[in-house]
Amino acid sequence: MKEKEVTDPFEAAKRIFTEYLEQRGHRKTPERFTILKEIYSTEGHFDIETLYIRMKNHKYRVSRATLYNTIELLLDCGLVTKHQFGTNYAQFEKATLYKQHDHFIFEDSGEVIEFYNPLIDDIKTQVEKQYNVEIHLYSLTFYGTSKTKK
Amino acid sequence: MKEKEVTDPFEAAKRIFTEYLEQRGHRKTPERFTILKEIYSTEGHFDIETLYIRMKNHKYRVSRATLYNTIELLLDCGLVTKHQFGTNYAQFEKATLYKQHDHFIFEDSGEVIEFYNPLIDDIKTQVEKQYNVEIHLYSLTFYGTSKTKK
DNA sequence: TTAGATGCAAACGGTTTGCAGGGAA
DNA sequence: TTCCCTGCAAACCGTTTGCATCTAA
């Protein structure tokens, strides 16, 4: 069975990115696909500097400017999402396409838990009605500590 | 009747700030109270640079360093809250002490609507139970556009 | 009197920009 | 061949820091 081709998230992302680039008349450079691959090869959140160093370690030659440029494209086509958890630098994560979620941040370690709670959709609907607006994006983040002693 | 003393939010904040400074052994400098006054004299959100310019215009002599320093104290004693609405600079607002709220941001103009929806407390409680954590802070922000044509 | 606070300016660090050279189409 | 993209480095800008001076206590 050709399981891999059906389920590999990177292959799916690659197709989406390719189509996006073609539609917009952007070039399909090797750098852009290498960056996408690097992002899809790890879990969790990352910032640009971390990604830069990771690619250096993997002997990929890439500049920070290109990272910022490519991330912008990936945000635009929905393959990556951007967060700003109260710090003064941005964090990113690959989009899970189907599984929307929010975040809990441990105040001491900065560790991130992802969760999904359907009540957020009710709030969203209520706010849209109440103010006659259309919500495209939202961000819900909790900050706190563990109750189990360490 | 002594209405003013009972209801003036600045007077209330001043008392809280004074007590906070005394408890921590911090000095009650004129700069600190002038900054508090400036913050409480306007509505809505502000960033440090805006506050700095506003105080300059009012002929108050203050340095950015002192603004950052004092904001830190005001955050610590809960008189001011900090936001990072996806930009790379922080925005602040005076705490409304009793009226908790969240934000809707217009993607085009950056305008901010404040709202409160009690369902958020249910989500909070559920997350606390689910992950055995204690939530101290949260941030809920919606981004979107108006449905009424301009 | 003195330790903490202020103002100024330099340093810091994440992000953006300008530009010459390179490569996808 | 064209002109979009890349890499490099400088610029940018919000925030932090170092230090001499000042002042609340």
Side-chain angles (χ1 to χ4, degrees):
Chain A
M1 293 199 282
K2 303 198 285 184
E3 281 184 17
K4 192 179 174 214
E5 285 163 32
V6 180
T7 57
D8 184 351
F10 171 60
E11 289 304 324
K14 208 160 131 183
R15 272 197 296 276
I16 292 171
F17 197 29
T18 301
E19 192 181 338
Y20 168 82
L21 293 174
E22 286 174 350
Q23 279 181 358
R24 303 296 178 102
H26 292 144
R27 292 184 182 167
K28 286 166 279 179
T29 66
E31 286 83 359
R32 288 177 175 168
F33 287 96
T34 306
I35 291 167
L36 181 65
K37 181 166 193 172
E38 186 63 44
I39 289 174
Y40 269 72
S41 75
T42 54
E43 294 302 316
H45 300 75
F46 62 90
D47 56 45
I48 295 290
E49 192 60 22
T50 305
L51 181 57
Y52 178 71
I53 292 173
R54 232 162 57 198
M55 296 192 73
K56 283 282 184 198
N57 290 345
H58 289 8
K59 308 292 181 229
Y60 295 135
R61 189 164 167 280
V62 73
S63 73
R64 265 173 274 253
T66 301
L67 285 180
Y68 280 105
N69 171 15
T70 302
I71 280 280
E72 198 58 41
L73 298 174
L74 292 173
L75 286 171
D76 193 40
C77 67
L79 288 171
V80 163
T81 56
K82 178 177 181 173
H83 304 288
Q84 198 113 16
F85 295 129
T87 59
N88 47 13
Y89 60 94
Q91 286 184 270
F92 304 87
E93 66 180 318
K94 60 175 185 286
T96 41
L97 294 175
Y98 40 92
K99 205 184 58 181
Q100 155 192 25
H101 62 261
D102 303 306
H103 298 96
F104 174 87
I105 315 281
F106 286 95
E107 287 171 336
D108 38 12
S109 66
E111 189 195 336
V112 179
I113 287 181
E114 295 173 1
F115 67 89
Y116 172 66
N117 190 303
L119 283 178
I120 189 65
D121 293 317
D122 296 337
I123 298 182
K124 186 184 158 196
T125 304
Q126 288 177 18
V127 168
E128 284 184 322
K129 275 190 190 150
Q130 194 172 356
Y131 297 104
N132 195 37
V133 292
E134 191 175 281
I135 291 171
H136 305 141
L137 260 180
Y138 81 90
S139 150
L140 171 59
T141 309
F142 289 112
Y143 300 84
T145 51
S146 171
K147 259 165 135 177
T148 59
K149 44 226 128 297
K150 39 184 168 184
Chain B
M1 291 197 285
K2 302 197 283 180
E3 282 183 17
K4 190 176 179 215
E5 286 163 32
V6 180
T7 58
D8 183 352
F10 171 60
E11 289 304 322
K14 207 161 133 183
R15 271 197 296 276
I16 292 170
F17 197 30
T18 301
E19 191 180 341
Y20 168 81
L21 293 174
E22 285 174 351
Q23 279 181 358
R24 305 296 179 101
H26 292 144
R27 291 187 184 168
K28 286 165 279 178
T29 67
E31 287 83 359
R32 288 176 174 168
F33 286 96
T34 306
I35 291 167
L36 182 64
K37 182 165 193 172
E38 186 64 43
I39 290 174
Y40 269 73
S41 74
T42 54
E43 294 301 316
H45 300 75
F46 63 91
D47 56 44
I48 295 290
E49 193 60 21
T50 305
L51 181 57
Y52 178 70
I53 292 173
R54 231 163 59 198
M55 295 192 73
K56 283 280 183 200
N57 290 344
H58 288 9
K59 309 293 181 230
Y60 295 135
R61 188 163 168 282
V62 73
S63 72
R64 268 175 271 254
T66 301
L67 285 179
Y68 280 104
N69 171 15
T70 302
I71 281 281
E72 198 58 41
L73 297 173
L74 292 172
L75 285 171
D76 193 40
C77 68
L79 288 171
V80 163
T81 57
K82 179 177 180 173
H83 304 288
Q84 199 114 13
F85 294 129
T87 59
N88 47 13
Y89 59 93
Q91 285 184 271
F92 304 87
E93 68 180 316
K94 58 175 187 282
T96 42
L97 294 176
Y98 39 92
K99 203 184 57 179
Q100 155 193 24
H101 62 262
D102 304 306
H103 299 97
F104 174 88
I105 314 280
F106 285 96
E107 286 171 336
D108 40 12
S109 66
E111 190 195 336
V112 179
I113 287 180
E114 295 173 0
F115 67 89
Y116 172 66
N117 189 303
L119 283 178
I120 189 65
D121 293 317
D122 297 337
I123 298 182
K124 185 183 159 198
T125 304
Q126 288 177 19
V127 168
E128 284 185 322
K129 275 190 190 154
Q130 194 171 355
Y131 297 103
N132 195 35
V133 293
E134 191 175 282
I135 291 171
H136 305 141
L137 259 179
Y138 81 92
S139 148
L140 171 60
T141 309
F142 289 112
Y143 300 84
T145 51
S146 172
K147 260 165 134 175
T148 59
K149 43 223 129 296
K150 39 185 168 181

